[in-house]
Amino acid sequence: MNASDAAEQVQQSDWLDHAIRVGLVAYGVVHLLIAFLAVQLALGEKEDSASNTGALHYLAEQPLGAAMVWGVAVGMLLLVVWRLLEFAFGYREESDDTKRWRKRATSLGKAVIYGALGWSAVRTALGDGSSGGTDSTTAKLMDLPGGQLIVGAVGLAVIAYGGSLVWRGWTEKFTEHLDAQGQSGTDGSAYVLLGKIGYIAKGIAIGIVGGLFAYAAITHDPKKSGGLDQALQTVLEQPFGQVLLIAIGLGIGAYGIFCFARAKHLSR
């Protein structure tokens, strides 16, 4: 058996299914915490930033928090392994090379996202979860040759990703990740509704993050960029912002619950 066949066997193994389920539960917990912090922000009771890092810090402060944050880190690592296996060996059934490599590129992008969250969890568990902020990262990019274009491209890419999540939610394409039992009956209808709300709300929030990057590129002002926390703050500053932010927060929470449903009714 060569290395490619061995990797294919690992990719199709039951233990990888179990590993993915653990990762999805951890991912769902993070989204529920972000939702909680977003609602706190809307109600003027904000203590931590409504972002991945803020959620991890909040989790670390709870009883057995360090162990739970390490659990998130492990869960994200398991999801990274899954997506990297998909990138390297997945989608062989696709006859269209372009479509196959597009799906593999998507898997690689998700591996990067899970890896970044996992690294944040490790740093938080070690007591070093602070960072220079999104604006400092944007400033460094701005200083590069063609930096303004790079930041603008990042913004457009993030907007596109957010748009793809909204599209997946609206068309219910995400149901392909649920087995037949997870799509049927009363429970199945609830899972689909949670997924639809969750994907759309998360897509809107991420799209706003991308918009902040694009605006920073246009104005050449790194301080105009921001992560999820600043995006939700921007929502709060709009007319009816409190209501809108609570709605987005609840939507992100719905996405977190859908992650649990997906873990239970996993279909790869």
Side-chain angles (χ1 to χ4, degrees):
M1 180 183 298
N2 58 37
S4 179
D5 291 337
E8 180 70 19
Q9 186 173 350
V10 169
Q11 188 186 9
Q12 300 301 326
S13 64
D14 289 339
W15 76 261
L16 184 58
D17 281 348
H18 296 316
I20 293 169
R21 288 187 171 96
V22 171
L24 288 172
V25 169
Y27 202 45
V29 168
V30 172
H31 280 82
L32 286 177
L33 290 174
I34 293 172
F36 172 71
L37 294 174
V39 173
Q40 271 196 326
L41 174 63
L43 297 178
E45 301 172 358
K46 179 176 176 287
E47 296 178 358
D48 292 278
S49 64
S51 62
N52 291 337
T53 302
L56 292 170
H57 278 295
Y58 181 83
L59 184 61
E61 293 168 357
Q62 308 311 306
L64 301 176
M68 290 188 287
V69 173
W70 277 115
V72 171
V74 171
M76 293 305 100
L77 174 61
L78 294 173
L79 292 182
V80 169
V81 171
W82 168 36
R83 293 304 189 182
L84 288 179
L85 285 172
E86 279 190 340
F87 169 69
F89 306 103
Y91 309 112
R92 292 183 176 182
E93 72 281 359
E94 289 288 350
S95 57
D96 186 337
D97 288 344
T98 301
K99 189 174 182 179
R100 179 169 62 252
W101 281 105
R102 184 172 67 247
K103 287 185 175 181
R104 287 183 172 181
T106 299
S107 294
L108 180 61
K110 290 180 178 179
V112 171
I113 293 171
Y114 297 146
L117 179 54
W119 177 240
S120 294
V122 170
R123 293 184 63 192
T124 301
L126 295 175
D128 185 30
S130 61
S131 65
T134 305
D135 59 337
S136 64
T137 303
T138 307
K140 292 176 182 178
L141 289 176
M142 287 280 198
D143 289 338
L144 296 174
Q148 192 172 3
L149 292 177
I150 294 173
V151 173
V154 169
L156 292 177
V158 174
I159 291 172
Y161 177 60
S164 71
L165 291 178
V166 172
W167 176 77
R168 290 184 69 83
W170 185 258
T171 61
E172 299 182 3
K173 188 172 176 58
F174 61 86
T175 57
E176 65 189 8
H177 298 312
L178 298 172
D179 61 20
Q181 184 178 359
Q183 299 181 43
S184 60
T186 303
D187 288 346
S189 297
Y191 296 153
V192 172
L193 179 60
L194 285 169
K196 188 162 191 169
I197 294 172
Y199 269 86
I200 292 174
K202 184 178 178 180
I204 291 171
I206 290 176
I208 295 172
V209 173
L212 292 175
F213 271 89
Y215 186 58
I218 293 171
T219 61
H220 209 283
D221 184 357
K223 293 184 179 180
K224 298 297 185 182
S225 67
L228 182 59
D229 185 43
Q230 188 170 335
L232 296 179
Q233 182 66 52
T234 300
V235 171
L236 185 58
E237 294 169 356
Q238 308 311 307
F240 305 104
Q242 186 179 39
V243 174
L244 291 173
L245 182 53
I246 290 175
I248 290 176
L250 293 177
I252 292 174
Y255 182 89
I257 298 174
F258 175 75
C259 287
F260 299 156
R262 186 177 174 188
K264 181 179 179 181
H265 298 285
L266 179 66
S267 176
R268 292 196 285 138

